[in-house]
Amino acid sequence: MVSARRSGLQASQASPTKLLDDSRFHALLPDEDWGRLPVAIWRRFSKRLEDGRTIIYVGEIDAASLSRIGWWLVQAARAIGGPLPTGAETGVPMIVAVTEDAASGGQIWTRICARRDGFPQVIHSSKRFAGPTGLEEYVGFGVSMALRVSVEREALVFRSAGYSLQLGSFRLPLPVWLAPGDMTVTHSDLGCGTFRFTLEIIHPRLGMLLRQSAVFREAAS
């Protein structure tokens, strides 16, 4: 009897994380565009964990660049929590943890970027299904960025659509001259369970400020 109870307890502890159907990202796109995505991508963005549970992706940075002005932008961004990568190292590990946020109904993203010297950089942000476009990324200190979602060349693309500052119940749009530029995040499938995550910031007058590309696969949930 005791042995049976132990076996049942072990089985329950080893049970996989429960996945729920998730239509939040699909709802941001026309059905025709969603249907143009590779099956692996819409499956990845159609599974929702129970509140508080986390899914882990492990990868490696394979390309990165940071202009001189981009470097200054990254340093200035530390004043609001450091939401941008501070280095341009390649061949180093990167881990992304996506946690369901019961409070906001969105997702908390934690990115751990390894360095060859010193501690890894940890970047936190929260994707909220809110704002003028239906999706925004909140980086802390009241600062958020509206995101517009599209499908391009069978990749899921997130583009900045304005920045704002939340002060209590008031939301103030940030003027263009305070914005770092146009931010684009691209999620493209590579097959065999791997995908590429690319971040770019391009200023309309100063050109490419920052670019980082990494290849990931799901590790655990």
Side-chain angles (χ1 to χ4, degrees), residues 25-26 28-38 41-42 148-159 185-187:
F25 287 100
H26 184 175
L28 299 171
L29 289 166
D31 289 342
E32 181 180 355
D33 288 351
W34 183 260
R36 292 192 291 114
L37 289 170
I41 292 183
W42 65 252
R148 187 169 286 114
V149 188
S150 62
V151 176
E152 300 176 19
R153 298 179 182 177
E154 297 189 340
L156 194 59
V157 179
F158 302 84
R159 282 197 171 87
V185 172
T186 304
H187 181 107

Side-chain angles (χ1 to χ4, degrees), residues 34 39 42 58 115 174 181 215:
W34 183 260
V39 173
W42 65 252
V58 296
R115 296 166 171 155
L174 293 180
V215 175

Side-chain angles (χ1 to χ4, degrees), residues 60-75:
E60 182 177 290
I61 299 172
D62 64 350
S65 62
L66 190 62
S67 72
R68 181 174 298 179
I69 295 177
W71 185 89
W72 283 108
L73 167 66
V74 167
Q75 307 314 311

Side-chain angles (χ1 to χ4, degrees), residues 57-64 85-96 112-121 212-216:
Y57 300 98
V58 296
E60 182 177 290
I61 299 172
D62 64 350
T86 57
E89 289 183 297
T90 59
V92 293
M94 186 173 183
I95 298 172
V96 175
I112 304 174
C113 307
R115 296 166 171 155
R116 289 192 174 86
D117 297 313
F119 292 109
Q121 180 188 6
Q212 186 185 70
S213 171
V215 175
F216 293 93

